[in-house]
Amino acid sequence: MNPRPVLARIAGAYEHPQRRITDATVPEVIAEVAYAALTDAGFGPADVDGFFCSQVPGLGNVAMAEYLGLTELSYLDVTEGGGASYPMHVGHAAAAIAAGKCRIALVAMGGLPLSGAGWRGAPGPEEPYEGNVGLTTPAGYALAAQRHRYEFGSTAEQLAEIKVAAAHHAQHNPHAVLRKPVTVEDVINSPLISDPLHRLDCCVTTDGGGALVIISEEIARQHPDRTVKILGHGEAVSHAAMGSIDLITTGAARSGPRAFDEAGLTPADVDYASIYDSFTITVLLSLEDLGFCEKGKGGQFVADGHLQAPDGGLPFNTDGGGLCNNHPDMRGGMIRTIEAVRQLRGEAHPAVQVPDARIAVVQGHGGNLGTRSAAATVILGAEDA
Amino acid sequence: MSTVDLIHDHWRRALGEGRLELTGCLDCDRIVGYPRSRCPYCMTDQVQWRRLSGRGRIHSYTVNRRGTGRYLDADPFVIAYVELDEGPRMLAHIRIDPEQTEIGSRVEVVAVGPDQPLTFTPVPS
């Protein structure tokens, strides 16, 4: 008899025995069922590398991953399909496992509609402890910048070079919000928002959006227009877990190697970089974590126009980035990806087109580097790469 | 609408009396910050409140000059990660002149009301 092909297997299962719960929070219910299913399967939180969980309070499943002690994640999914969400997650987990993206996936859900405390409007699990601190997004990133300055001596001027490079590119983008070139002095003389970050260290806020169409190799064979190859991908989650936040290392330190390994490439192969630039410090930390320079040397790396197209050592964010061009819905990863596609198709503005751009890296971050965040790296190649 | 959160209630009561308490696991003995009703290392619900020294040092800080919400019109204020002597790094306010704040300096917890953040003050030297 022929064996059936198997996508993946279910090794643990648990249903909460109660039907009305009055002595627990939503995160506590999710922890109870998640831990019981893990116990049934013979694993613990540190074994889980794929997490599938939709509609939980706070920063979706990043906050829930922190609460549960999931420290080794390489794949996340927050698919929301109402009641269909969980069979969808099963399929997505199986596909991720079959693609080698993770090996031990946790799919979890929970809610308390009878208490009125379901996922709509419920606070994240960390909210009671952090919610009244008044940590704005800039303040969180500032905590990272301040620690990096303390450990490595990076300066305000070095961070400013990142904005200078983005603004240098944005002058060629008719759609960019901020098109005027700026100097290092302009940046460090702009008002402090949350020390040590100045206003010009921070990205713009915009409406708008973006979309991509991604096709199979089979469709690509029949597709007449130029395509861009997706060569590698990696994800990671960073959080404080049990109170051990690392402010100077982002998830890119794990998502980057995963993506480069899958692509069979290294940072030395990269011609163009789209690096998430919610703040200048986000770029500096990402460049270190992706391996373009050693940890702590990001300040020196970005000096002297190194990020400027077309002649710099690593042209970056040639559309102007989130710092100058666009950051729709406060989530800039789509626009970062689109500029990388332009560069690899040779469709960037001529003044900033990297000659013979063949390999690009896209680095995204979400959440707050000062508390908890998701990171994703994608390696793209030109059609003839 | 609110839900019962016994862990947070205990944390708040202790802070109201100037006591910093976190949950520790009876099986693996590890302390967790922020507290939880189950151990995120070994998953047991056998956790116990531990009273901590209330002391630590500033691991990083920022001076928030553009507060939002309840801090919209506040003067610049210091937010820090305090690395407790027992290990965990926790987000908190420091009652200090922003210009005098330094990474590495010693701080101790102060009693705060139910709506206030975890707050520390410099240890007098």
Side-chain angles (χ1 to χ4, degrees), chain B residues 45-86:
Chain B
D45 62 0
Q46 299 301 297
V47 301
Q48 184 184 59
W49 286 100
R50 309 274 174 88
R51 180 177 183 173
L52 306 184
S53 66
R55 294 197 162 196
R57 60 179 72 250
I58 293 178
H59 178 73
S60 186
Y61 75 96
T62 183
V63 182
N64 191 349
R65 299 178 189 270
R66 298 284 175 92
T68 57
R70 59 191 278 195
Y71 296 105
L72 188 59
D73 297 316
D75 288 335
F77 59 101
V78 176
I79 299 174
Y81 269 104
V82 173
E83 184 173 283
L84 302 175
D85 287 350
E86 294 84 356

Side-chain angles (χ1 to χ4, degrees), chain A residues 116 132-133 143 195 243 245 370, chain B residues 1 60 62 65 71 81 89 93:
Chain A
N132 47 20
V133 169
L143 286 169
D195 303 20
I245 191 162
Chain B
M1 68 184 75
S60 186
T62 183
R65 299 178 189 270
Y71 296 105
Y81 269 104
R89 295 174 182 156
H93 279 197

Side-chain angles (χ1 to χ4, degrees), chain A residues 181-249:
Chain A
V182 300
T183 63
V184 166
E185 285 66 40
D186 290 334
V187 179
I188 66 180
N189 291 335
S190 64
L192 281 166
I193 301 296
S194 196
D195 303 20
L197 297 179
H198 300 87
R199 192 172 68 212
L200 266 57
D201 285 302
C202 308
C203 68
V204 299
T205 297
T206 53
D207 296 335
L212 301 166
V213 175
I214 299 175
I215 63 177
S216 68
E217 286 297 83
E218 186 198 339
I219 302 284
R221 280 191 279 278
Q222 303 142 39
H223 197 273
D225 294 331
R226 281 183 303 165
T227 60
V228 166
K229 298 176 181 173
I230 299 171
L231 300 173
H233 144 266
E235 292 175 10
V237 167
S238 286
H239 52 61
M242 287 49 108
S244 53
I245 191 162
D246 178 354
L247 287 169
I248 53 113
T249 307

Side-chain angles (χ1 to χ4, degrees), chain A residues 129, chain B residues 10-11 13-23 35 49-56 82-86 88 90 92 107-111 118-120:
Chain A
Y129 309 95
Chain B
H10 182 114
W11 155 274
R13 259 199 311 282
L15 270 189
E17 295 164 12
R19 292 196 317 280
L20 180 57
E21 298 194 3
L22 289 178
T23 46
W49 286 100
R50 309 274 174 88
R51 180 177 183 173
L52 306 184
S53 66
R55 294 197 162 196
V82 173
E83 184 173 283
L84 302 175
D85 287 350
E86 294 84 356
M90 301 203 71
V107 294
E108 62 187 356
V109 74
V110 297
L118 175 63
T119 303
F120 292 80

Side-chain angles (χ1 to χ4, degrees), chain A residues 251-296:
Chain A
R254 279 162 292 135
S255 67
R258 287 172 185 149
F260 279 114
D261 286 352
E262 186 168 38
L265 295 168
T266 72
D269 298 309
V270 173
D271 301 306
Y272 167 75
S274 255
I275 308 291
Y276 206 84
D277 54 350
S278 43
F279 300 88
T280 49
I281 185 65
T282 317
V283 178
L284 189 150
L285 293 175
S286 296
L287 291 168
E288 293 176 351
D289 292 336
L290 286 169
F292 287 104
C293 62
E294 282 174 33
K295 176 52 67 183

